[in-house]
Amino acid sequence: LPDAFLDFLKENGLDPSIYIPRYIRLKPGLLELEAEIKCKPEKVVWLPGFFSIPPHIQIASSDVYRQGKIYGMDAASGAAVLALNVTPGDNVLDLCAAPGAKLCMLSDLLGSSGSLTGVDVARHRLAACRTMLQKYALGDRCRLFVADGTSFSLLPLRFKEWTPKRPWKERKKANKARPELIFYGRHSGVIGISKSELGYDKVLVDAECTHDGSFRHIQKFEHWGWKTLQRRVLDAQRTDTLTHLQLQLLTNGFRLLTAGGSLVYSTCSLTVAQNEDVVEQFLATNPSAELREIDVAKNWPCRSGRIPKTLRFDPLTSQTSGLFIAKFVKL
């Protein structure tokens, strides 16, 4: 690792040689996993459905993975989804859905009721979400939109399709600006706009960040080049741009939330600027937002963030990738 990144880890109290196990999530009732991947997975006692396996184990070539029976997903990411407390019947929005592991877990939690809307600005990354939904047979209640999460505005719809009455040229312009639908489950509701809709019951904003808390991501820079790391992770100007984006995503996600609904904001960055600072800026300008305790976190191996009621996972405390979680309720 380059000196600049070693200094970054030191500032955040992290040992670069820390051992981090790999995590997987299982579909209920799977019994053949141990024989298939040739190791004994250890149950993650604080996170239902998750198991840890040695990092050298390759699951991509196993039948259970190809058949859509196990998911590769870090335990901290699973905690962010669980913090949202999704229940059957909820209308859920995943505002930064790619690459799709959290989207699939949200769909599993919803079961056979409610709806799930996934949004991402990158079409090729959202296409990967579509592939995952199809692989795991989870798409019936999900729709995916290629759109900018800072301005996405389609609400969960249950009524008849909206029919525009504007002139043809105006309709053409409006339709061109609307999000691109690339996946539509058969029980996903009606596509359109309706002022009578109240909003989403639950919103997940797992915002774009520098990914410095993910050691697997940092390892990629061995191939991409360490100068790229300097530009994409450690550069102050890039961080400023990202924090502005994160605040916009959080603000728009909260705008789409129904009164009494819950929103979880998370990043896999270790920095205060992309986490606590964003939360403080958001709370200062949104009086109807209230930071809430994450009830399910009582036995989680994490620590408090700089702001009370926020949580931080990191390799030393949690043996997971780094992740920040804050939960809001709309009053």
Side-chain angles (χ1 to χ4, degrees):
L1 293 172
D3 291 340
F5 191 67
L6 291 173
D7 290 341
F8 172 83
L9 294 178
K10 186 177 180 180
E11 288 170 9
N12 286 278
L14 290 171
D15 182 347
S17 63
I18 188 72
Y19 167 76
I20 306 174
R22 188 177 187 185
Y23 293 94
I24 55 174
R25 186 167 72 87
L26 272 64
K27 283 203 168 187
L30 183 62
L31 301 175
E32 65 268 33
L33 176 65
E34 187 174 337
E36 176 71 28
I37 64 175
K38 296 179 175 60
C39 78
K40 184 174 178 60
E42 292 188 17
K43 191 173 184 178
V44 179
V45 295
W46 55 274
L47 194 63
F50 277 75
F51 293 77
S52 65
I53 59 175
H56 67 273
I57 297 294
Q58 300 296 317
I59 63 171
S61 59
S62 66
D63 287 339
V64 285
Y65 179 77
R66 286 197 295 261
Q67 293 167 7
K69 296 178 180 178
I70 62 174
Y71 312 74
M73 186 177 185
D74 193 83
S77 297
V81 174
L82 207 61
L84 201 52
N85 192 29
V86 170
T87 56
D90 281 340
N91 291 303
V92 182
L93 171 64
D94 186 350
L95 200 56
C96 309
K102 294 183 182 71
L103 186 79
C104 286
M105 185 172 174
L106 287 168
S107 184
D108 265 336
L109 291 173
L110 274 177
S112 59
S113 62
S115 70
L116 177 59
T117 299
V119 176
D120 204 273
V121 72
R123 195 182 197 283
H124 69 283
R125 284 168 54 81
L126 199 64
C129 293
R130 178 178 60 195
T131 299
M132 285 189 71
L133 288 174
Q134 292 168 333
K135 173 182 176 180
Y136 293 105
L138 292 171
D140 273 2
R141 296 190 171 271
C142 185
R143 56 183 189 164
L144 300 178
F145 291 99
V146 180
D148 183 345
T150 65
S151 58
F152 180 77
S153 60
L154 291 184
L155 297 175
L157 301 168
R158 288 165 287 189
F159 304 112
K160 66 180 181 179
E161 187 171 357
W162 171 70
T163 305
K165 296 181 180 179
R166 290 174 290 177
W168 178 82
K169 285 186 178 180
E170 289 185 22
R171 295 204 307 268
K172 183 178 179 182
K173 184 178 180 181
N175 288 335
K176 188 176 182 181
R178 293 182 69 185
E180 178 191 359
L181 179 72
I182 70 165
F183 182 82
Y184 178 67
R186 57 182 176 173
H187 301 303
S188 299
V190 177
I191 306 164
I193 298 173
S194 170
K195 291 183 180 179
S196 59
E197 284 293 339
L198 298 176
Y200 293 93
D201 303 299
K202 307 286 169 62
V203 175
L204 176 63
V205 181
D206 184 48
E208 172 64 22
C209 68
T210 50
H211 305 287
D212 51 79
S214 169
F215 282 85
R216 287 189 175 276
H217 182 80
I218 295 300
Q219 281 181 321
K220 296 175 183 177
F221 288 97
E222 285 188 318
H223 305 287
W224 295 344
W226 294 118
K227 287 184 179 180
T228 308
L229 173 75
Q230 180 70 39
R231 176 173 56 83
R232 296 186 61 178
V233 176
L234 305 176
D235 182 69
Q237 186 175 353
R238 164 146 170 88
T239 300
D240 288 345
T241 301
L242 275 175
T243 54
H244 179 67
L245 171 64
Q246 289 155 354
L247 182 59
Q248 286 184 305
L249 288 167
L250 176 53
T251 300
N252 193 46
F254 190 76
R255 180 181 68 85
L256 297 170
L257 190 65
T258 188
S262 301
L263 180 149
V264 163
Y265 171 76
S266 63
T267 84
C268 60
S269 172
L270 301 168
T271 66
V272 170
Q274 297 176 67
N275 297 311
E276 287 91 345
D277 286 357
V278 170
V279 168
E280 287 180 340
Q281 291 178 63
F282 171 72
L283 288 172
T285 55
N286 290 272
S288 62
E290 180 176 279
L291 205 54
R292 286 286 176 90
E293 293 275 2
I294 300 173
D295 296 333
V296 292
K298 291 177 181 177
N299 298 316
W300 288 0
C302 57
R303 56 187 174 88
S304 175
R306 193 187 67 183
I307 300 173
K309 301 179 183 177
T310 63
L311 300 178
R312 279 183 172 271
F313 287 80
D314 63 63
L316 285 177
T317 307
S318 319
Q319 280 206 311
T320 65
S321 290
L323 197 82
F324 172 87
I325 306 175
K327 184 175 183 177
F328 303 90
V329 167
K330 180 178 276 190
L331 302 176

